Amino acid sequence: MTTAADVLELVRAPAALTVLGDTAAGAQAAAGGFTRRGWLLPLASVAIYSGGMALNDWADRDVDAEERPERPIPSGRVSPRRALAIAAGLGTIGLALAAAGGGRRGLAVAVPLVASVVAYDVVAKPTAAGPLAMAACRGLDVLLGAGGSPRALPAALAVAVHTLGVTALSRGEVHGGTAADTGLALVATGAAAAAVDAVSPSVQTPVARIAGAAGSTAYLAAALPGQLAAAEDPSPARVRDATRAGIGSVVPLQAALVARGGGLAVAVGLMAVHATIRLRGRKGRVGQGQGDIT
């Protein structure tokens, strides 16, 4: 019998904390923050992300039966049909929330976002295009908060580049990493941090610039140590540790982008989310395995 705990494990519930800041970064870059209904957009991201997690496990059920038999589907705690229904239901909820929070512009971004998540999980993930497909998902998630505004492109690019590197690195979680993948992760992290300065709000204050730089520093401090360790020793354990750190480190990157755009209060909130993730990381895993950053 499937329990609520089984469903929460299927969708990697704690990892949903890492997507809350995507739409905040997009909204801040495009319009200086959310409109009144725009606060529904982070919830839309969480629903779409969580649905992608369930779809990921449905698509990987045969591989997981050999490599991760403890997961909900191969262990028999969640049937494949139920996992697929959960994925479809959460995707539908995400689209509805995007329409409610962002109107037609929000829905116009949410539809290709959901399509990209499906394409990644079902088709692209095991291919060389997998990291690019995942990067597109997270870039679109940022643009969801901006209603597709081109003003949010630098922020979307920063999150997408970060995701490209983490996804490439995650391919070595089972059998060990490669020099190419660990090198790409390091380059992507540096590029994402540098992209924070490309965010150009209409009003640029010294406080916003300092706060953005502080966020970038926190991002590098969260992401780089694990990646450097994996570059030195690309064993599966080191790669898994670096991937988990990379998944969580997107939050200070989001905070840096929001702060650079002048949203200091939201940036402080995101750093509190990051502290929560780090605390949970000491007690257990926030996310695990390739595909956990959908």
Side-chain angles (χ1 to χ4, degrees):
M1 182 177 178
T2 300
T3 66
D6 295 329
V7 175
L8 292 175
E9 183 180 346
L10 177 74
V11 301
R12 317 287 199 285
L17 293 171
T18 66
V19 298
L20 290 171
D22 283 352
T23 50
Q28 193 68 44
F34 287 119
T35 62
R36 184 173 60 181
R37 291 187 304 160
W39 289 99
L40 292 171
L41 294 175
L43 299 180
S45 290
V46 168
I48 293 170
Y49 179 98
S50 300
M53 291 294 189
L55 184 63
N56 171 78
D57 273 20
W58 175 84
D60 281 359
R61 61 194 185 279
D62 292 334
V63 174
D64 284 346
E66 297 181 4
E67 296 180 351
R68 299 180 177 95
E70 74 281 359
R71 285 190 167 180
I73 295 177
S75 68
R77 289 177 287 133
V78 178
S79 70
R81 177 179 293 184
R82 179 164 293 178
L84 191 58
I86 290 170
L90 286 170
T92 301
I93 291 170
L95 290 173
L97 288 170
R104 287 180 293 179
R105 290 183 178 180
L107 190 60
V109 180
V111 169
L113 170 57
V114 170
S116 296
V117 170
V118 173
Y120 172 79
D121 283 334
V122 178
V123 179
K125 179 179 173 180
T127 72
L132 287 172
M134 177 62 76
C137 292
R138 290 302 288 259
L140 284 168
D141 200 34
V142 175
L143 291 177
L144 175 61
S149 170
R151 294 190 64 182
L153 286 175
L157 182 62
V159 174
V161 168
H162 163 82
T163 304
L164 174 70
V166 175
T167 309
L169 181 65
S170 74
R171 294 187 294 187
E173 287 185 312
V174 175
H175 303 295
T178 66
D181 285 340
T182 55
L184 177 58
L186 287 165
V187 170
T189 296
V196 173
D197 284 336
V199 176
S200 300
S202 56
V203 179
Q204 300 188 41
T205 66
V207 173
R209 287 194 291 270
I210 292 170
S216 294
T217 300
Y219 163 62
L220 292 172
L224 280 180
Q227 293 173 358
L228 289 170
E232 182 179 354
D233 172 21
S235 64
R238 285 285 179 89
V239 171
R240 284 193 295 270
D241 288 343
T243 299
R244 284 195 294 271
I247 292 170
S249 69
V250 73
V251 180
L253 175 61
Q254 295 160 346
L257 293 166
V258 171
R260 187 70 176 82
L264 300 183
V266 175
V268 169
L270 288 171
M271 290 306 298
V273 170
H274 179 55
T276 300
I277 291 173
R278 288 179 64 87
L279 181 62
R280 287 190 62 89
R282 295 189 182 101
K283 298 178 179 179
R285 296 178 178 179
V286 171
Q288 48 183 316
Q290 183 183 352
D292 291 351
I293 47 178
T294 300

